[in-house]
Amino acid sequence: MKKKMMIGISSVIVLLIIVVTVGSFYFYHVAIARASKDFLNESPDLQSSPEVEQSKDTSKADQEWWDTQSFDRWEIDSDDGIQLKAYYLAAPEHSDKTVIVAHGYAGNATQMSGYARMYYERLGYNILLPDARGHGESGGDYIGFGWPERKDYLKWIQSALKANGEDTQIILHGVSMGGATVMMTSGEDLPANVKAIVEDCGYTSVKDELTFQLKRMYHLPAFPIVDTTSMLTKIRAGYSFSEASALEQVKKSKTPTLFIHGDNDTFVPTEMVHTVYENSPVEKELYIVPNAGHGEAFRMDPVKYESVVTEFVGRFVK
C-alpha cells in the first residue's frame, strides 16, 4: 500500500513537471518569441475607446504623412550582434534637437507616425524611430520588453550624436513597451545630451506585467509559470523577468521625466505609473488622461497631449 502511494505521488510530481515545462515553452512562444501576436487583437483591454474611434481620420492623416517622407535608413549592430534598423528624418530646418521614439510590444516604428509628426512638424525636431529587436525590420528572434533594448538605445543615442554633433539635445519618448524601454534606459549612464524622457503607459517590470496578464487572460497564478518561463527566457534570450525592471532603473535616473498614463488602462494597469512616479528622484510630472485606455493618451486629446509634452520638454531643451 505504501509503495503504491509513493508511486502515485511520484507520478503526480512527474506529471506536474511535464505540465509546467510544456506551459513554460508555450508562454515563451506566446509572449517572448518573435511570432505573430494575434491574441492581442482579441484582448478587450486593447479595444479602442469610442472617443479614439472617432479620431481614425487623424491617424490616417498621420500615416499618409509618414508615407510621403523621405526617411534615411540607419543601421547599427547591438552589443550581442543583432542588426537593428531605424528611420531617421532631419528637421525641416536645421535643428540641434532630436527625439528618439520607442514603439510598443508587437509593433514597429511606422506605427508611431503621430508622435513623429508632432515632434517634426510642430516642434521642429530631428526624428529617429528604431524598430526594436524582434520587431519590424530589425533582427532578433525574441522580444526584450525593453531590457536588452536599453543597451540598444545607448547606441542609438550615440548614432544621433555622431550624425548631429556633440551639442545635440536629445529627448527619449516611448509608448507601452517603448515607455518601459525609455524608463529602463533612464537608469543607465546617459550623456548630458539626453535632456528629458517622456514615458507613456509603460509597466513597472516585465515580471509585474506578465503576472498581471497571466491572471487576467488565463486566470492562472504567477507561480510557477512566470518563474519557469523566466528561467527559459534567461537561457534563450539572456535576461530574466525579475531583472527587467523599469522601476529599479527609474530609481537610478538623473534625467527629468514626464510620466503619462490613461486612467482607464486595463492592459498596463494605471497604478503602475503611480509606482514609478513616486519612486522617481528626478524633476518630474504626472499626466493622467481621463477615459484613455492603453496607449490612447495621445489620440484621446492630441491638443492637450502636445501641450503637456511641449511644456515639459521645453523646460530642459533650449
Side-chain angles (χ1 to χ4, degrees):
M1 186 71 178
K2 185 176 180 181
K3 184 177 181 180
K4 287 183 178 180
M5 184 179 294
M6 292 300 295
I7 292 173
I9 293 172
S10 298
S11 298
V12 170
I13 292 173
V14 170
L15 180 61
L16 286 173
I17 291 173
I18 293 172
V19 169
V20 170
T21 301
V22 171
S24 299
F25 277 88
Y26 171 77
F27 283 110
Y28 180 89
H29 177 76
V30 169
I32 310 300
R34 183 172 193 157
S36 174
K37 307 299 181 187
D38 292 337
F39 69 92
L40 294 173
N41 298 328
E42 301 173 3
S43 172
D45 301 325
L46 295 174
Q47 301 305 306
S48 296
S49 303
E51 298 90 337
V52 172
E53 278 291 315
Q54 295 173 10
S55 70
K56 281 190 173 180
D57 287 345
T58 302
S59 299
K60 183 179 178 181
D62 288 337
Q63 192 60 55
E64 290 173 349
W65 169 84
W66 177 281
D67 293 339
T68 62
Q69 304 308 307
S70 299
F71 287 95
D72 293 332
R73 301 308 309 277
W74 287 10
E75 295 183 5
I76 60 171
D77 289 326
S78 69
D79 289 340
D80 51 348
I82 297 174
Q83 187 179 64
L84 305 172
K85 297 187 177 183
Y87 297 82
Y88 176 79
L89 188 64
E93 298 181 6
H94 177 74
S95 175
D96 66 350
K97 298 178 289 188
T98 300
V99 63
I100 307 178
V101 182
H103 66 77
Y105 179 78
N108 59 67
T110 68
Q111 296 173 350
M112 306 302 286
S113 57
Y115 305 90
R117 188 181 183 188
M118 176 183 73
Y119 278 100
Y120 180 81
E121 282 194 343
R122 294 184 278 281
L123 300 181
Y125 276 62
N126 309 305
I127 54 175
L128 175 61
L129 300 99
D131 277 331
R133 57 175 61 205
H135 293 78
E137 296 185 8
S138 288
D141 58 6
Y142 66 85
I143 295 172
F145 280 91
W147 189 245
E149 289 87 346
R150 80 195 194 283
K151 294 293 183 68
D152 301 337
Y153 268 68
L154 295 180
K155 302 195 82 169
W156 287 123
I157 289 167
Q158 290 304 317
S159 295
L161 293 176
K162 183 177 179 181
N164 296 318
E166 292 301 317
D167 293 330
T168 299
Q169 302 177 86
I170 295 174
I171 299 295
L172 305 181
H173 189 137
V175 180
S176 191
M177 185 186 81
T181 299
V182 297
M183 284 193 286
M184 291 176 183
T185 305
S186 77
E188 300 300 310
D189 186 15
L190 300 179
N193 306 75
V194 180
K195 301 299 183 181
I197 291 173
V198 181
E199 86 79 19
D200 185 337
C201 64
Y203 36 80
T204 48
S205 72
V206 177
K207 184 174 184 179
D208 290 345
E209 179 61 13
L210 293 184
T211 295
F212 176 80
Q213 289 299 332
L214 191 66
K215 181 178 181 180
R216 187 163 179 84
M217 296 179 65
Y218 297 96
H219 309 290
L220 292 173
F223 182 82
I225 293 296
V226 169
D227 300 86
T228 53
T229 306
S230 178
M231 288 189 287
L232 179 61
T233 302
K234 184 69 173 179
I235 294 169
R236 288 192 162 191
Y239 72 96
S240 69
F241 298 160
S242 295
E243 68 183 309
S245 174
L247 174 60
E248 294 306 314
Q249 290 290 95
V250 162
K251 291 178 181 179
K252 299 186 292 182
S253 177
K254 299 176 182 177
T255 309
T257 303
L258 170 60
F259 297 88
I260 302 173
H261 220 99
D263 75 351
N264 195 34
D265 193 337
T266 53
F267 192 79
V268 175
T270 307
E271 56 262 30
M272 286 191 181
V273 74
H274 293 287
T275 300
V276 290
Y277 177 79
E278 290 164 5
N279 283 275
S280 171
V282 299
E283 290 188 66
K284 58 190 177 182
E285 185 175 326
L286 178 62
Y287 173 38
I288 301 295
V289 182
N291 304 317
H294 186 64
E296 292 187 333
F298 179 55
R299 292 297 179 208
M300 185 64 68
D301 190 346
V303 174
K304 178 66 178 296
Y305 190 101
E306 180 183 333
S307 174
V308 171
V309 170
T310 300
E311 188 280 330
F312 184 81
V313 302
R315 288 156 50 188
F316 309 102
V317 176
K318 306 303 179 184

